[in-house]
């Protein structure tokens, strides 16, 4: 028989088990693989599920903050590998795995291969900033590669037309996940290069890393390296990064963000036009003011020049008038000289022009003397 004096409570047993197991470092951060079943998300954001193999099952919980950081949405039947520590719930004497991360079986290997491909392409210079093309500020033609009738396509078209309705949109449909997606994306890209596009957007909505694998296809990435127009990638959300994001000239985390990068905002254009109109009017007013000031200056300068010219002209006229006045025969007569005229009124300049008994007029400053020639003497005769 068991001595009742040395018995312990159920709680003591469970607490001891809890302490023993949770302090065992061998049960910390275990890598456990198995198949998910009974996967349920509680109202608090935590997910509860079972992890099984062909012999055993263990309960698991992943709390909200860790679940939201996962690269995919776990589902029943997924073969996974989890990082977890053993946790004991003492009140019920149960234990479970407290999960910190979940990876799909084979996904880790795929990420390793993707990293290798990324480094190889980077070493060849495919992702260099020097090869990035500037995005056209005012595009006339925008191409879109994405799934037909998808939310991403509707989002892109709506936001492009809302922001810049005069642009033409060309759609090159392709599946964006699945085995055929890489080939379809490549064919859609080749078709887009037959058009004179200003910008090409390649995108889809969000998804798990596995869903985005088509955008890491090496053949597709190498084809994009020879693009004729700038490319904007809009693949997944901010936490997802694909090789298309690296080779693209600009990356957007959402289709809406891609539309905003690809187009100017109509409201911004209207504001700039209004401001430009005001600037032009101000410039014209200033130009007219400058012309008016120049006109006034030139007018004043012309008036001064004309006044100076007229004054000089008046002085010249006055000088000429005085000179002419000095040459006036009448003025000469006032100094004691006279002018002799024959009967015809012609000035007599030589004795050869007169005859004896001919009448002549002697014009003085104050009158005329009429006389008759009695004798003509030359200059040598007295």
């Amino acid at each position: 028989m068991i001595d009742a004096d040395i018995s312990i409570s159920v709680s003591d047993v469970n607490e001891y088990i809890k302490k023993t197991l949770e302090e065992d470092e061998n049960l910390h951060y275990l890598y456990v693989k198995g198949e998910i079943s009974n996967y349920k998300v509680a109202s608090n954001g935590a997910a509860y599920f079972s992890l099984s193999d062909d012999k055993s099952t263990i309960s698991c919980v992943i709390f909200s903050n860790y679940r939201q950081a996962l690269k995919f949405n776990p589902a029943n039947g997924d073969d996974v590998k989890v990082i977890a520590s053993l946790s004991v719930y003492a009140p019920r004497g149960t234990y479970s795995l407290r999960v910190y991360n979940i990876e799909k079986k084979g996904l880790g290997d795929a990420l390793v291969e993707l990293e290798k491909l990324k480094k190889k392409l980077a070493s060849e210079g495919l992702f260099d900033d020097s090869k990035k093309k500037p995005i056209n500020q005012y595009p006339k033609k925008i191409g879109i590669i994405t799934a037909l009738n998808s939310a991403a396509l509707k989002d892109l078209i709506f936001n492009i037309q809302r922001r810049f309705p005069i642009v033409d949109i060309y759609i090159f449909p392709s599946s964006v996940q699945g085995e055929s997606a890489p080939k379809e994306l490549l064919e859609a890209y080749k078709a887009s290069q037959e058009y004179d596009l200003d910008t090409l957007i390649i995108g889809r909505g969000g998804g798990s890393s596995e869903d985005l694998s088509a955008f890491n296809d090496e053949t597709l990435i190498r084809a994009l390296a020879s693009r004729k127009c700038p490319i904007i990638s809009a693949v997944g959300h901010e936490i997802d990064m694909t090789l298309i994001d690296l080779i693209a000239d600009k990356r957007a985390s959402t289709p809406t963000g891609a539309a905003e990068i690809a187009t100017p905002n109509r409201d911004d254009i209207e504001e700039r036009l209004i401001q430009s109109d005001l600037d032009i009017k101000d410039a014209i007013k200033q130009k007219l003011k400058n012309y008016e000031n120049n006109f006034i200056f030139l007018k004043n300068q012309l008036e001064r020049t004309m006044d100076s010219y007229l004054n000089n002209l008046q002085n010249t006229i006055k000088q000429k008038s005085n000179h002419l006045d000095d040459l006036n025969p009448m003025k000469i007569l006032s100094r004691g000289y006279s002018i002799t005229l024959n009967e015809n009124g012609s000035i007599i300049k030589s004795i050869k022009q007169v005859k004896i008994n001919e009448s002549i007029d002697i014009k003085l400053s104050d009158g005329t003397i009429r006389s008759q020639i009695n004798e003509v003497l030359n200059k040598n005769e007295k």
Side-chain angles (χ1 to χ4, degrees), residues 195-208:
Y195 294 81
D196 186 23
L197 301 175
D198 295 299
T199 307
L200 178 63
I201 300 174
I202 303 177
R204 57 160 291 161
S208 67

Side-chain angles (χ1 to χ4, degrees), residues 292-305:
E292 182 182 3
N293 292 336
N294 289 338
F295 174 77
I296 293 173
F297 172 78
L298 293 173
K299 176 176 174 291
N300 293 335
Q301 190 176 47
L302 179 61
E303 288 177 349
R304 289 193 297 269
T305 302

Side-chain angles (χ1 to χ4, degrees), residues 108-172:
D109 295 336
L111 291 175
V112 171
E113 291 302 316
L114 176 60
E115 189 63 25
K116 289 181 180 178
L117 177 58
K118 174 183 173 182
K119 290 180 178 179
K120 181 176 76 169
L121 297 177
S123 67
E124 296 177 19
L126 269 66
F127 306 145
D128 289 354
D129 289 341
S130 61
K131 295 184 179 180
K132 304 296 185 185
K133 299 179 183 291
I135 305 301
N136 290 286
Q137 187 175 8
Y138 299 104
K140 296 179 180 178
K141 300 176 183 178
I142 293 179
I144 300 174
I145 297 178
T146 192
L148 198 62
N149 299 320
S150 64
L153 179 60
K154 294 176 182 177
D155 192 356
L156 283 165
I157 293 175
F158 172 78
N159 284 289
I160 289 173
Q161 292 180 336
R162 172 181 61 84
R163 290 172 57 84
F164 199 52
I166 63 173
V167 71
D168 293 329
I169 300 175
Y170 295 75
I171 300 171
F172 305 93

Side-chain angles (χ1 to χ4, degrees), residues 9 16 31 94 111 126 158 160 194 231 242 257 266 328 335 337 346 349 375:
S9 68
Y16 178 80
Y31 283 85
T94 59
L111 291 175
L126 269 66
F158 172 78
I160 289 173
E194 299 297 322
I231 291 177
T242 65
R266 177 173 57 182
N328 187 339
R335 296 202 298 270
Y337 293 92
S346 300
K349 300 178 180 179
E375 187 178 6

Side-chain angles (χ1 to χ4, degrees), residues 301-339:
Q301 190 176 47
L302 179 61
E303 288 177 349
R304 289 193 297 269
T305 302
M306 289 299 296
D307 289 342
S308 177
Y309 175 76
L310 291 175
N311 288 335
N312 292 335
L313 185 60
Q314 287 174 349
N315 291 333
T316 301
I317 292 172
K318 187 175 182 179
Q319 291 174 359
K320 297 290 185 181
S321 177
N322 291 336
H323 183 64
L324 289 175
D325 190 50
D326 290 340
L327 297 177
N328 187 339
M330 297 305 295
K331 196 164 186 178
I332 295 173
L333 295 178
S334 67
R335 296 202 298 270
Y337 293 92
S338 64
I339 299 174

Side-chain angles (χ1 to χ4, degrees), residues 24-77:
D24 187 347
E25 292 186 358
N26 292 323
L27 300 177
H28 292 174
Y29 298 103
L30 304 171
Y31 283 85
V32 184
K33 60 182 180 180
E35 180 180 314
I36 292 177
S37 60
N38 303 315
Y39 187 86
K40 294 179 181 179
V41 178
S43 59
N44 61 2
Y48 298 88
F49 60 96
S50 298
L51 199 61
S52 306
D53 59 20
D54 57 351
K55 297 179 180 179
S56 302
T57 298
I58 189 170
S59 298
C60 302
V61 58
I62 180 169
F63 292 110
S64 177
N65 56 330
Y66 293 112
R67 185 180 66 82
Q68 292 177 1
L70 296 178
K71 293 290 187 178
F72 75 108
N73 293 320
N76 291 331

